[in-house]
Amino acid sequence: MRLTADTKVYIEVYMKIRELAQHWQRNATEELSPTRYQLRLGLEAGARLEALAEMYPLRSAEELLGELVAAALEELAASLPYVKGNKIIATDEQGYPQYEDIGPTPRFLALTHKHMQPLQQSSE
């Protein structure tokens, strides 16, 4: 069985993995990227995906896979480490300085934004 997944890669709206089952039960749909991604799963991952597709028959395996990837990317983005820079970019409510993040998060967000623009344009 060959599975494909339409996914969009941005951080703003995706839910956590533990919320996916509730999402699937509600059968909500989201705007999809015009780009199709193909991948092969290992046997166990494939069996788990087929089990989910059987448990949630209103969702196709492709939809489930796309939502799983989106949730995993959201969790990945949230887990990227903050690395304190030297530059103060703001102060918090108590007046403490907030330092720029020089870790991977700003680059990931900038690259996500860079790739989002052409995806949005080609979906119009």
Side-chain angles (χ1 to χ4, degrees):
M1 174 187 209
R2 193 172 98 189
L3 298 175
T4 62
D6 288 286
T7 60
K8 58 184 174 183
V9 183
Y10 68 95
I11 306 305
E12 299 166 11
V13 237
Y14 287 112
M15 73 247 10
K16 301 224 182 271
I17 289 176
R18 63 183 162 267
E19 297 169 344
L20 280 175
Q22 295 168 354
H23 171 74
W24 293 332
Q25 287 179 336
R26 289 190 305 269
N27 198 28
T29 58
E30 297 185 46
E31 180 184 358
L32 298 176
S33 164
T35 305
R36 293 186 74 80
Y37 301 91
Q38 282 188 339
L39 62 112
R40 292 184 61 165
L41 298 175
L43 290 175
E44 186 172 351
R48 287 178 174 177
L49 180 61
E50 294 300 328
L52 286 172
E54 189 173 328
M55 289 172 64
Y56 301 99
L58 297 177
R59 315 287 298 165
S60 70
E62 290 174 332
E63 289 171 318
L64 295 169
L65 189 56
E67 291 164 352
L68 284 166
V69 169
L73 289 168
E74 173 67 15
E75 296 247 347
L76 173 75
S79 71
L80 291 173
Y82 166 76
V83 179
K84 180 180 168 184
N86 293 323
K87 182 179 176 184
I88 297 173
I89 57 169
T91 55
D92 66 13
E93 302 83 41
Q94 289 83 30
Y96 294 107
Q98 301 294 304
Y99 293 90
E100 71 178 325
D101 184 349
I102 59 171
T105 302
R107 181 164 188 248
F108 180 71
L109 294 176
L111 289 170
T112 297
H113 181 71
K114 171 187 158 186
H115 292 287
M116 176 60 99
Q117 290 175 333
L119 290 173
Q120 284 176 326
Q121 290 171 353
S122 61
S123 71
E124 294 173 354

